[in-house]
Amino acid sequence: MLRSRRTVLPDGERPAAVAIAGERIAVIGDYDEPIPAHRTEDLQDLALLPGLVDTHVHVNEPGRTEWEGFATATRAAAAGGVTTIVDMPLNSLPPTVDTAALAAKRAAAEGKLWVDTGFWGGAIPGNDADLKSLHDAGVFGFKCFTAPSGVDEFPPLDAAGLHRACATVAALDSLLIVHAEDPAHLHDADAAVHSHGSQASPRSDFGRFLATRPEAAETSAVREVIAAARATGARVHILHLAAAEALDLIHDAWLDGVAITVETCPHYLHLAAERVPDGATAFKCCPPIRGEANRDALWAGLLDGRIDIVVSDHSPSPPHMKTGDFATAWGGIASLQLGLPVMWTEARARGLALTDLVRWMSTGPADLVGLHRKGRIATGADADLVAFDPERAWTVRAADLHHRHPVTPYDGETLTGAVAATWLRGARIDTDAAPRGRQLRRSPR
């Protein structure tokens, strides 16, 4: 049994005792209630949260394990209070676009998981016939791009392909998750500087890169996704939204009956373009980190419910791929271990509560993929739990993080809030012992 004076429950934060039987939460009582237990741990003023659920993680194994692998990614997740991840279908080789590739991915993950792990399938040109078999094999839905993905083996869908994928997904009662950028609005650096009337700047300048992927690229693609979802009845989810100007489009479509949800990421809610140093390619991601006014507008969307969830989009690469300039460096941010303290640093400064973080980072993502025993402290739920010190200030050292390569834009930054311990299905995660994470499969909705 775990006791905490700051237990975050579905109905709010209060002192409570959480009793665990086997892998599930059996009883939730008052903090001082004499519930029989063979072992009790009193966390006192450490907060007790449900484990985070991160539905946007690029593990990259097999095929690009030198970028990131299941052992390193899930160890970082556990250290950051994340007890469930769902792995993206790229950048592994082969990508998860058919059942043979899914089988290869599951084989690669066996015995390496520190946290429970599920898988997305991929929707690319020409694999329409594979979506049903992937669905039957237990993927949680299908990811597609509307612009080049950065790897040749995972090409984007055009408008017709997007409509076909939506129709298939609707027939399966599945979910299509979309990297929404319109290639017609993407520019090379020279054209972007010219079209925005900017002064020429060094190629390493972040502002020059930002101009290559304007907000209009996201808004235009979101509009196309909405049209396809409206025409087919598909459930769709917009990934890693960076452009706040698209929020009203998404919300209006939802009010009109389109089954659409949207996520954003800690880096869009914490970082701002004005504070990215020239040449600091660890900050590069696609879509890009935008300005402070846009960041504040994303927070407004989160607070009024127009944004549903917050997940990492953990997309690491070897250090040599993050060097050079913003035009050529790999576009991905490694942050799986840091999402909770990054978000708490921002939320606390805004007068928000741990209950807000749990809704955005635990319960919401779990519900998105139908893992209703995850992401909540409730009787019958999996005993995935996190002891979190909301008062501790600490400085990030990239070399101390558990993902494969010591590259992150948060290196050297002081954050507030630290994970003290993580439990997976009732057992405290001990990285000196054998990993006990399980592979998850989709359940009927």
Side-chain angles (χ1 to χ4, degrees):
M1 182 168 58
L2 296 172
R3 302 183 190 274
S4 168
R5 294 190 179 95
R6 299 191 64 178
T7 304
V8 180
L9 301 168
D11 60 353
E13 180 184 317
R14 63 177 173 84
V18 178
I20 300 161
E23 297 186 343
R24 304 276 186 87
I25 295 170
V27 177
I28 299 172
D30 293 334
Y31 178 78
D32 294 322
E33 189 171 339
I35 302 170
H38 74 276
R39 184 168 56 87
T40 298
E41 185 170 351
D42 192 342
L43 302 176
Q44 300 185 20
D45 291 326
L46 290 180
L48 184 63
L49 315 179
L52 273 60
V53 177
D54 193 334
T55 54
H56 196 147
V57 178
H58 293 267
V59 175
N60 307 332
E61 187 177 3
R64 289 192 175 101
T65 311
E66 72 275 12
W67 294 21
E68 182 70 284
F70 285 106
T72 48
T74 58
R75 186 168 181 164
V82 178
T83 51
T84 302
I85 67 169
V86 186
D87 172 56
M88 286 292 169
L90 73 163
N91 304 297
S92 54
L93 291 171
T96 316
V97 295
D98 55 40
T99 53
L102 177 62
K105 178 154 286 198
R106 285 178 170 155
E110 192 63 33
K112 300 176 183 176
L113 302 177
W114 294 102
V115 302
D116 288 351
T117 301
F119 305 98
W120 295 107
I124 63 171
N127 84 324
D128 295 9
D130 294 298
L131 300 189
K132 184 179 187 304
S133 57
L134 281 166
H135 177 76
D136 292 343
V139 299
F140 285 88
F142 302 95
K143 180 178 186 176
C144 70
F145 282 73
T146 60
S149 69
V151 291
D152 292 340
E153 67 275 2
F154 204 97
L157 298 178
D158 61 15
L162 179 65
H163 278 252
R164 285 195 300 272
C166 279
T168 302
V169 164
L172 295 172
D173 191 21
S174 186
L175 176 66
L176 188 70
I177 62 173
V178 186
H179 178 126
E181 289 183 285
D182 183 346
H185 290 272
L186 303 182
H187 316 286
D188 64 36
D190 291 333
V193 168
H194 177 75
S195 67
H196 284 71
S198 305
Q199 294 295 318
S201 57
R203 202 160 180 243
S204 61
D205 177 66
F206 184 76
R208 187 181 178 94
F209 164 66
L210 182 59
T212 70
R213 305 184 90 97
E215 292 184 49
E218 291 188 75
T219 304
S220 177
V222 165
R223 190 175 287 111
E224 183 64 36
V225 173
I226 290 169
R230 193 189 304 277
T232 60
R235 289 191 297 134
V236 294
H237 178 75
I238 304 299
L239 297 168
H240 49 47
L241 187 75
E245 72 174 27
L247 285 174
D248 286 343
L249 275 176
I250 295 167
H251 188 60
D252 289 347
W254 179 81
L255 289 173
D256 197 35
V258 176
I260 186 167
T261 49
V262 59
E263 69 186 41
T264 193
C265 305
H267 43 274
Y268 299 129
L269 294 164
H270 180 65
L271 304 172
E274 293 88 345
R275 295 189 281 119
V276 176
D278 281 357
T281 50
F283 289 79
K284 181 182 177 181
C285 56
C286 300
I289 295 160
R290 304 195 185 278
E292 291 180 358
N294 181 82
R295 181 194 61 198
D296 292 343
L298 289 175
W299 271 103
L302 197 57
L303 291 172
D304 66 21
R306 288 176 294 158
I307 296 176
D308 299 279
I309 63 172
V310 178
V311 290
S312 70
D313 188 14
H314 177 72
S315 185
S317 64
H320 74 270
M321 294 180 65
K322 292 294 286 184
T323 59
D325 58 44
F326 281 106
T328 59
W330 177 256
I333 286 181
S335 62
L336 182 55
Q337 189 172 336
L338 298 173
L340 182 56
V342 167
M343 285 296 294
W344 179 237
T345 298
E346 288 288 334
R348 188 172 186 256
R350 287 169 165 77
L352 303 175
L354 290 170
T355 51
D356 297 310
L357 295 195
V358 165
R359 182 171 71 255
W360 299 325
M361 304 182 78
S362 297
T363 314
D367 288 349
L368 176 74
V369 294
L371 291 173
H372 300 303
R373 291 208 309 262
K374 301 289 189 183
R376 68 209 76 218
I377 299 178
T379 303
D382 286 356
D384 298 344
L385 301 163
V386 179
F388 182 68
D389 184 347
E391 305 301 325
R392 182 185 162 198
W394 61 286
T395 300
V396 178
R397 303 295 178 204
D400 296 335
L401 301 177
H402 293 294
H403 63 260
R404 185 173 294 278
H405 299 291
V407 177
T408 180
Y410 300 105
D411 189 29
E413 184 161 355
T414 297
L415 302 174
T416 301
V419 172
T422 306
W423 290 263
L424 177 66
R425 288 179 281 102
R428 186 167 180 159
I429 295 177
D430 177 2
T431 53
D432 291 327
R436 53 185 296 277
R438 289 178 181 159
Q439 296 187 35
L440 303 174
R441 286 168 168 77
R442 173 197 54 80
S443 298
R445 185 162 68 95

